[in-house]
């Protein structure tokens, strides 16, 4: 049977030899610590395995050299030999893992990986037999370990040579380290067969381990250099890719900005075109409304326009107790003019009479063609005496006009002052009765209507709820907004008057449709103006508009279906549309419009 392959020294070594052995052990430990420290930033598995290999081989060297006999008590020296066997087997397994990881990129080395792994595991299992307390087991383990260790080293050497031929940088260092392991195996075998003294064998073993440490350090430095270069290349590739992505993203952003700018220009152009078209439509609507509210022949108001205007004046007379007078005149014997001279001459007389009357009216007075040759003049802030004076002046002016075909034409006038509490129908009937009196008394004269007989003071009759009278304090300072607000006041007041007088449902539906059309147009113009003025609360204001129009359309649908809810409709007109929105919500932006209209409030150019 072969002698022991791992033999502790029989005698205590010299201090120099002990220091040399300790230096080698420290070198191996330092190499292990270096690999472990390099593992933390690089996170490479080969570095952690190399660090573990350095610690295990250092411990095995302590058992073989003079360090263990020097440091351990005599009672523990019997355990050094089995421990050295186990550490030697474990170091071979770890070495196989280190070389497999470092040679993983070599196809030729990978073909030997399974054989090397199986040999290493077999070596460890045999080394573990040293745990058994039988001398025969120890001897057999030493023998098999001595055979398998050089076999594993030769397999590793073959794998390293293949990797070197394939251009792997770390292969040279691993080949050197593997040759050092073979030298270690040879030194132990020559010692066991008596071909070499223990001192020479240990010196050769020590030299081989120094070469192993240097080669392993060389391999680790090469490995770390490769990892650093690979990391730098990966970072550079990432930076290049990021630069390309940034360039592509910048180009995409520029493209999208150009597209958005083009779309914005198109939208602005479309908005300006729409605003221009809307203004033209508004002017056309105003003209159509003027035509619809005006008699084409005489230019005087028609009945519908008069009813829209007179009801707010009546409500104002109730609130302020101001006088309001009405003149009704009729051309005398006008039928003879048409019969004798034709309707063309009659139309000329009617147009001339209206023109003459208009020359003598104030700006606040209104001329209305009531029907045929009958006309009305509404004179606000005028008492009965003043209205009689105006009537006499008009009568004289008309009688002084000479028409070529007809000659002069006279007219009879009935005059009345509005009495608080009477309805519009009653007031007109009373005025018409005064006109009838003037005609019955000989024509070409003025007759004042008698005051109506009233028992007591006229009650309020909840009239304040139905009063939607425009006042100067409601003005915003913007001509378009104020003009539209006044029109909405007038239309709402006329609609509520129709409701209170129990007019037919189709008339109510028609007036409601007219009011909603003007309301929708006003909301559109108002939002466009506030958008141009950059009003910050425009979204909320537009949402209120949408809610009001939605409610209005529902009420309109109910009216068209024949289901008139008087209370809901009046509450919507008076409380929600007029007092709730125009007199409350709209007033919130009046100050903003005035600031924007001032030179200090104008936005800078290009803003």
């Amino acid at each position: 049977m072969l002698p022991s392959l791992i033999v502790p020294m029989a005698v205590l070594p010299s201090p120099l030899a002990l220091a040399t052995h300790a230096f080698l052990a420290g070198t191996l430990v330092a190499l292990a610590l270096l690999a472990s420290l390099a593992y933390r930033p690089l996170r490479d598995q080969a570095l952690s395995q190399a660090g573990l290999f350095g610690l295990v081989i250092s411990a095995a060297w302590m058992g073989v050299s003079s360090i263990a006999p020097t440091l351990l008590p005599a009672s523990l020296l019997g355990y050094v030999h089995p421990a050295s066997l186990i550490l030697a087997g474990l170091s071979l397994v770890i070495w196989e893992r280190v070389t497999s990881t470092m040679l993983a990129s070599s196809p030729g080395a990978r073909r030997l990986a399974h054989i090397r792994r199986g040999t290493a595991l077999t070596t460890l299992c045999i080394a573990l037999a040293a745990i058994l307390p039988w001398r025969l087991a120890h001897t057999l383990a030493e023998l098999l370990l001595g055979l398998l260790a050089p076999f594993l080293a030769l397999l590793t050497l073959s794998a390293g040579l293949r990797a070197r031929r394939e251009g792997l940088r770390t292969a040279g260092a691993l080949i050197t380290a593997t040759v050092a392991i073979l030298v270690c195996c040879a030194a132990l075998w020559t010692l066991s067969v008596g071909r070499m003294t223990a001192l020479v064998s240990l010196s050769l073993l020590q030299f081989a381990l120094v070469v192993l440490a240097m080669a392993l350090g060389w391999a680790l430095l090469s490995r770390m250099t490769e990892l650093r270069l690979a990391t730098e290349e990966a970072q550079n590739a990432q930076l290049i890719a990021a630069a390309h992505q940034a360039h592509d993203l910048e180009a995409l952003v520029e493209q999208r900005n150009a597209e958005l700018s083009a779309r914005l220009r198109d939208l602005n152009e479309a908005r300006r075109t729409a605003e221009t078209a809307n203004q033209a439509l508004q002017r056309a609507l105003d003209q159509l409304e003027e035509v619809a509210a005006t008699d084409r022949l005489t230019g005087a108001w028609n009945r519908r326009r008069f009813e829209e205007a007179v009801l707010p004046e009546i409500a104002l007379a109730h609130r302020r107790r101001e006088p309001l007078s009405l003149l009704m005149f009729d051309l005398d014997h006008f039928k003879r003019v048409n019969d004798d001279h034709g309707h063309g001459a009659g139309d000329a007389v009617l147009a001339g009479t209206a023109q003459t009357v208009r020359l003598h009216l104030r700006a606040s007075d209104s001329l209305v063609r009531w029907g045929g040759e009958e006309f009305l003049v509404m004179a606000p802030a005028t008492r009965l005496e003043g209205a009689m004076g105006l009537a006499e002046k008009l009568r004289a002016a008309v009688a002084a006009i000479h028409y070529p075909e007809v000659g002069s034409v006279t007219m009879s006038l009935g005059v009345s002052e509005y009495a608080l509490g009477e309805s519009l129908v009653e007031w007109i009937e009373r005025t018409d009765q005064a006109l009838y009196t003037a005609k019955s008394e000989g024509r070409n004269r003025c007759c004042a209507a008698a005051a109506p007989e009233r028992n007591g003071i006229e009650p309020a009759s909840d009239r304040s709820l139905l009063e939607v009278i425009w006042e100067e304090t409601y003005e915003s300072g913007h001509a378009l907004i104020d003009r539209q607000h006044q029109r909405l006041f007038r239309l709402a007041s006329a609609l509520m008057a129709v409701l209170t007088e129990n007019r037919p449902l189709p008339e109510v539906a028609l007036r409601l449709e007219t009011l909603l059309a003007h309301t929708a147009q006003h909301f559109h113009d108002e939002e466009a103006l506030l958008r141009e003025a950059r009003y910050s609360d425009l979204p909320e204001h537009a949402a209120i508009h949408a809610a009001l129009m939605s409610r209005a359309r529902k009420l309109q649908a109910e009216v068209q279906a024949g289901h008139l809810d008087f209370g809901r409709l009046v509450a919507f007109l008076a409380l929600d549309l007029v007092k709730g929105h125009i007199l409350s919500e709209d007033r919130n932006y009046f100050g903003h419009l005035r600031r924007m209209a001032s030179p200090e409030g104008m936005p800078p150019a290009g803003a």
Side-chain angles (χ1 to χ4, degrees):
M1 185 176 295
L2 290 173
S4 175
L5 293 176
I6 302 178
V7 182
M9 296 188 65
V11 296
L12 291 176
S14 65
L16 180 59
L18 181 61
T20 304
H21 297 168
F23 175 77
L24 177 58
T27 301
L28 294 171
V29 171
L31 182 64
L33 293 177
L34 175 64
S36 300
L37 291 175
Y39 169 75
R40 295 189 63 183
L42 298 176
R43 293 295 176 182
D44 182 57
Q45 190 176 6
L47 297 178
S48 64
Q49 294 169 351
L52 182 60
F53 173 76
L55 292 177
V56 174
I57 198 67
S58 175
W61 165 246
M62 290 180 185
V64 173
S65 67
S66 61
I67 298 177
T70 303
L71 298 178
L72 296 177
S75 59
L76 296 179
L77 293 179
Y79 297 101
V80 173
H81 180 252
S84 299
L85 287 176
I86 295 173
L87 290 173
L90 181 60
S91 65
L92 291 175
V93 172
I94 299 174
W95 176 249
E96 186 276 330
R97 297 312 307 153
V98 172
T99 55
S100 295
T101 303
M102 290 189 175
L103 300 175
S105 60
S106 170
R110 286 200 301 269
R111 284 194 288 270
L112 297 174
H114 296 294
I115 301 176
R116 293 173 58 238
R117 186 178 297 112
T119 303
L121 293 175
T122 303
T123 302
L124 179 60
C125 293
I126 293 173
L128 290 176
I131 299 176
L132 301 176
W134 300 323
R135 180 63 182 173
L136 180 61
H138 294 180
T139 303
L140 184 60
E142 285 180 325
L143 177 61
L144 294 177
L145 187 62
L147 295 174
L148 290 176
F151 178 68
L152 178 60
L154 291 173
L155 289 175
T156 305
L157 181 62
S158 176
L161 292 173
R162 293 183 180 185
R164 185 177 178 80
R165 286 195 298 269
E166 294 169 359
L168 189 64
R169 294 182 57 184
T170 57
L174 294 178
I175 291 173
T176 303
T178 305
V179 171
I181 292 176
L182 285 173
V183 172
C184 291
C185 293
L188 292 174
W189 268 106
T190 56
L191 176 63
S192 66
V193 297
R195 297 288 184 179
M196 190 179 296
T197 63
L199 180 60
V200 176
S201 177
L202 284 176
S203 298
L204 183 60
L205 183 62
Q206 184 175 357
F207 174 76
L209 288 176
V210 170
V211 174
L212 174 63
M214 294 176 63
L216 184 58
W218 175 23
L220 292 178
L221 289 176
S222 299
R223 180 73 173 181
M224 288 187 285
T225 302
E226 290 180 355
L227 292 174
R228 180 178 59 81
L229 293 176
T231 302
E232 290 178 355
E233 290 178 358
Q235 291 177 347
N236 290 334
Q238 290 178 353
L239 289 176
I240 293 174
H244 286 305
Q245 291 179 354
H247 182 268
D248 295 341
L249 183 60
E250 184 178 357
L252 181 61
V253 169
E254 291 180 358
Q255 179 183 357
R256 294 297 173 84
N257 285 338
E259 293 176 357
L260 289 176
S261 298
R263 291 183 181 180
L264 184 60
R265 286 194 298 270
D266 293 342
L267 288 175
N268 287 334
E269 184 63 27
R271 182 178 63 82
R272 285 192 293 268
T273 303
E275 291 295 337
T276 302
N278 183 66
Q279 292 173 2
L281 289 175
Q282 180 62 41
R283 288 192 296 269
L285 182 62
D286 292 341
Q287 292 174 0
L288 289 175
E289 182 182 3
E290 185 67 23
V291 171
T294 305
D295 178 62
R296 184 172 58 88
L297 175 63
T298 62
W301 286 358
N302 58 21
R303 283 198 178 201
R304 184 178 69 85
R305 181 67 180 86
F306 169 70
E307 291 178 353
E308 292 176 357
V310 72
L311 293 174
E313 293 294 339
I314 292 175
L316 191 63
H318 274 272
R319 292 180 59 188
R320 299 179 178 178
R321 294 299 191 266
E322 292 183 353
L324 176 63
S325 295
L326 185 66
L327 287 70
M328 179 181 288
F329 62 88
D330 184 301
L331 296 180
D332 297 330
H333 304 296
F334 183 73
K335 187 174 182 304
R336 295 179 185 175
V337 175
N338 284 330
D339 293 342
D340 296 342
H341 304 283
H343 290 281
D347 291 344
V349 170
L350 290 175
T353 301
Q355 182 179 2
T356 302
V357 170
R358 195 177 288 111
L359 291 175
H360 294 82
L361 296 180
R362 301 170 301 176
S364 58
D365 298 335
S366 304
L367 176 63
V368 182
R369 186 177 181 184
W370 193 242
E373 67 274 17
E374 277 190 332
F375 291 83
L376 295 178
V377 173
M378 181 176 64
T382 304
R383 296 196 176 277
L384 182 61
E385 296 79 6
M388 286 294 294
L390 174 62
E392 184 60 32
K393 182 168 62 173
L394 295 179
R395 185 197 64 77
V398 170
I401 299 298
H402 180 79
Y403 296 97
E405 297 181 10
V406 179
S408 27
V409 177
T410 62
M411 65 178 183
S412 303
L413 297 96
V415 182
S416 66
E417 181 181 347
Y418 176 74
L420 296 179
E422 69 177 337
S423 66
L424 176 61
V425 175
E426 293 172 343
W427 186 25
I428 293 176
E429 288 180 354
R430 189 160 57 89
T431 310
D432 184 64
Q433 185 62 40
L435 173 61
Y436 178 78
T437 302
K439 284 184 172 293
S440 63
E441 291 181 356
R443 294 182 173 83
N444 193 22
R445 68 188 60 226
C446 304
C447 183
E453 296 182 359
R454 297 288 180 183
N455 296 324
I457 304 293
E458 182 263 333
S461 69
D462 296 332
R463 185 176 294 272
S464 60
L465 177 65
L466 304 182
E467 290 178 354
V468 284
I469 308 303
W470 178 261
E471 298 183 5
E472 292 183 358
T473 56
Y474 300 159
E475 293 182 353
S476 66
H478 192 277
L480 175 63
I481 296 298
D482 291 338
R483 186 169 63 252
Q484 291 182 344
H485 279 175
Q486 293 179 31
R487 181 184 298 149
L488 293 180
F489 266 70
R490 188 173 67 248
L491 294 174
S493 179
L495 177 56
M496 286 191 291
V498 168
L499 290 173
T500 57
E501 294 175 3
N502 296 322
R503 298 285 185 89
L505 196 59
E507 184 178 354
V508 175
L510 179 60
R511 289 187 178 273
L512 177 60
E513 184 176 0
T514 303
L515 173 63
L516 295 186
H518 282 279
T519 301
Q521 182 63 45
H522 165 66
F523 286 168
H524 176 273
D525 294 342
E526 186 178 77
E527 291 173 15
L529 175 65
L530 295 180
R531 189 180 301 108
E532 186 72 21
R534 300 177 182 177
Y535 183 52
S536 59
D537 293 335
L538 176 58
E540 294 80 3
H541 201 78
I544 295 174
H545 286 172
L548 285 173
M549 289 306 301
S550 177
R551 290 185 56 196
R553 295 304 181 191
K554 291 180 180 178
L555 289 172
Q556 183 184 25
E558 293 178 3
V559 172
Q560 291 174 347
H563 306 295
L564 174 60
D565 190 330
F566 176 84
R568 287 180 58 203
L569 187 54
V570 170
F572 172 76
L573 295 174
L575 301 181
D576 297 333
L577 180 60
V578 176
K579 294 185 178 179
H581 185 71
I582 297 178
L583 298 183
S584 296
E585 293 293 338
D586 282 2
R587 297 179 72 86
N588 293 334
Y589 67 76
F590 287 0
H592 181 77
L593 289 183
R594 296 188 184 101
R595 287 192 301 271
M596 294 302 295
S598 64
E600 295 79 5
M602 293 298 292

